[in-house]
Amino acid sequence: MSPRPARRRVAVVGTGAIVTGSHLTALRAHADRTELVAAVDVDPARLDAFRARAGGDVAEYTSTGAMLDAVRPDLVLVGTPPSLHREQTVAALKAGAWVLCEKPLCLSLAEYDDIAAAEEASGAYASVVFQHRHGSGAAHARDLIASGELGAPLVAHCQTTWHRDAAYYAVPWRGRWSTEGGGPTMGHGIHQYDLLLHLLGPWAEIRAMASRLVHDTESEDVSTALVRFENGVLATVVNSVLSPDEVSRVRVDCADATVELTHLYGHRNDDWTYTPARHVAPERAIAWRTPAADVPSSHTAQLGAVLDAWDAGDLPPGSGPDARATLEFAAALYKAAFTGRPVAAGEIASGDPFHSAMHGDHPDWAPKERA
């Protein structure tokens, strides 16, 4: 067995809560495979606080470009507001670094094309953080569905019903197309419907509605969709920030069993349930129970999967076609909602207004000129 490669030299861009609370935890869990060497933030005080918390010899920079030139890291973790993701990801790729970027990877399919071109030119890869795909419960459910052990998948429900108040949207970049890329469809529910796509495979057609019911934002605060998958599954998808009783849920009804995940911001094995159909023998259903290992969904699990792919010379999870498929789903949901007609997979190509922006320049939804 060949020895594992040397520790990857890692830089973080952005030192806010998601990097400090999740990415730093992941790096510590994989300290045998990674070394944090640099951090970037425009706020020197926040940068100093992060460096003190991270410990070790972490170089500080207020410019991503300066950091890339000086440090030449192997891996860059991007945890800045969404409008900065494309620029920072492309810069890191051009410097030869792999990237693990918070969702959304970018704000449009056109921006994704820029990232894909940078990947092609550099030979490096950019992955988006979709940590709910990872962990033992999700892997187990996907294997059972894909193998046909639960019977043919037939009906699915995907629910992200969360609550965000006016103070949440007082942060200047939230609720605006140019800085966040959309509302709960892009910023909140994307984790759950990405997991749904991971479990069920490609979708074929989507019909949708969206509205601003409470918040004074450019983007929506609720959306709903009906989805037909290539394998025939019919699904509902709800994305809301108006729901006092918060829950994240994915349910797939198969011919022989219902598999359901109920959680909020992360799941373990116990959050998954399997309900057998009446005709299923009890001994068969026992075998569906979650695996003995209990690996929670987390940045730690996804970082480990990225490092495993790197060591094996494989395409990392959450990159390439995977990353684009989830972004295309978001664009199609918005197009279906704003135009009032069904959208087929593959329909949104260069030249389509929903390719260049999630609002599609729709007169009721495109940003208005500010006084």
Side-chain angles (χ1 to χ4, degrees):
M1 186 174 180
S2 59
R4 176 175 286 173
R7 294 165 72 198
R8 312 286 182 183
R9 300 172 66 255
V10 181
V12 299
V13 178
T15 60
I18 193 65
V19 171
T20 301
S22 297
H23 287 283
L24 185 55
T25 299
L27 289 170
R28 285 171 172 160
H30 295 287
D32 61 327
R33 308 171 71 183
T34 63
E35 178 188 7
L36 180 60
V37 295
V40 180
D41 203 300
V42 295
D43 183 336
R46 189 165 56 207
L47 190 57
D48 287 342
F50 173 81
R51 187 169 185 259
R53 182 163 184 170
D57 188 17
V58 180
E60 296 182 1
Y61 296 88
T62 56
S63 160
T64 301
M67 181 277 292
L68 292 170
D69 288 342
V71 177
R72 311 301 293 187
D74 301 309
L75 173 64
V76 175
L77 308 180
V78 177
T80 52
S83 61
L84 302 173
H85 289 178
R86 180 199 61 82
E87 178 185 355
Q88 291 167 341
T89 295
V90 168
L93 290 168
K94 287 183 175 179
W98 282 34
V99 177
L100 181 56
C101 178
E102 280 299 317
K103 55 78 185 166
L105 179 61
C106 51
L107 301 188
S108 68
L109 290 168
E111 288 195 354
Y112 176 83
D113 291 343
D114 293 340
I115 292 172
E119 286 181 316
E120 180 69 23
S122 68
Y125 296 107
S127 295
V128 59
V129 174
F130 285 140
Q131 73 270 24
H132 293 328
R133 286 188 177 204
H134 299 272
S136 49
H140 186 62
R142 187 171 190 247
D143 288 346
L144 289 173
I145 294 171
S147 69
E149 174 57 29
L150 304 181
L154 303 170
V155 181
H157 306 278
C158 179
Q159 174 184 352
T160 305
T161 43
W162 294 356
H163 191 270
R164 298 293 183 266
D165 59 15
Y168 176 85
Y169 285 104
V171 176
W173 58 265
R174 289 185 176 140
R176 297 175 58 189
W177 294 107
S178 64
T179 49
E180 194 172 22
T185 306
M186 272 287 272
H188 304 83
I190 193 168
H191 278 301
Q192 258 60 244
Y193 63 72
D194 174 75
L195 178 56
L196 186 74
L197 296 174
H198 186 59
L199 294 174
L200 295 179
W203 60 277
E205 178 186 341
I206 185 168
R207 301 163 186 255
M209 291 188 289
S211 189
R212 304 181 196 95
L213 297 180
V214 173
H215 295 293
D216 182 18
T217 57
E218 291 181 347
S219 53
E220 84 291 358
D221 55 17
V222 61
S223 69
T224 64
L226 300 176
V227 186
R228 187 188 306 276
F229 282 79
E230 283 187 3
N231 58 12
V233 173
L234 294 181
T236 63
V237 177
V238 179
N239 308 294
S240 166
V241 288
L242 308 178
S243 308
D245 183 10
E246 295 186 295
V247 69
S248 305
R249 180 177 291 119
V250 173
R251 168 175 167 151
V252 181
D253 295 325
C254 301
D256 293 343
T258 292
V259 54
E260 184 167 354
L261 165 67
T262 304
H263 68 118
L264 188 54
Y265 299 137
H267 54 80
R268 305 185 73 102
N269 287 351
D270 286 347
D271 298 313
W272 295 80
T273 60
Y274 293 84
T275 304
R278 292 186 180 90
H279 64 267
V280 172
E283 59 270 18
R284 181 180 171 201
I286 289 172
W288 300 337
R289 291 177 180 170
T290 49
D294 188 3
V295 180
S297 65
S298 63
H299 288 66
T300 297
Q302 181 163 359
L303 178 59
V306 168
L307 294 171
D308 288 345
W310 203 340
D311 292 348
D314 296 333
L315 186 72
S319 66
D322 273 353
R324 192 187 190 283
T326 302
L327 195 66
E328 183 191 8
F329 186 91
L333 194 158
Y334 280 124
K335 182 175 182 179
F338 297 168
T339 64
R341 66 174 185 79
V343 174
E347 173 182 321
I348 302 176
S350 180
D352 188 308
F354 288 90
H355 181 268
S356 56
M358 292 290 170
H359 55 70
D361 287 326
H362 190 279
D364 294 335
W365 288 95
K368 305 295 191 295
E369 291 292 331
R370 293 177 179 265

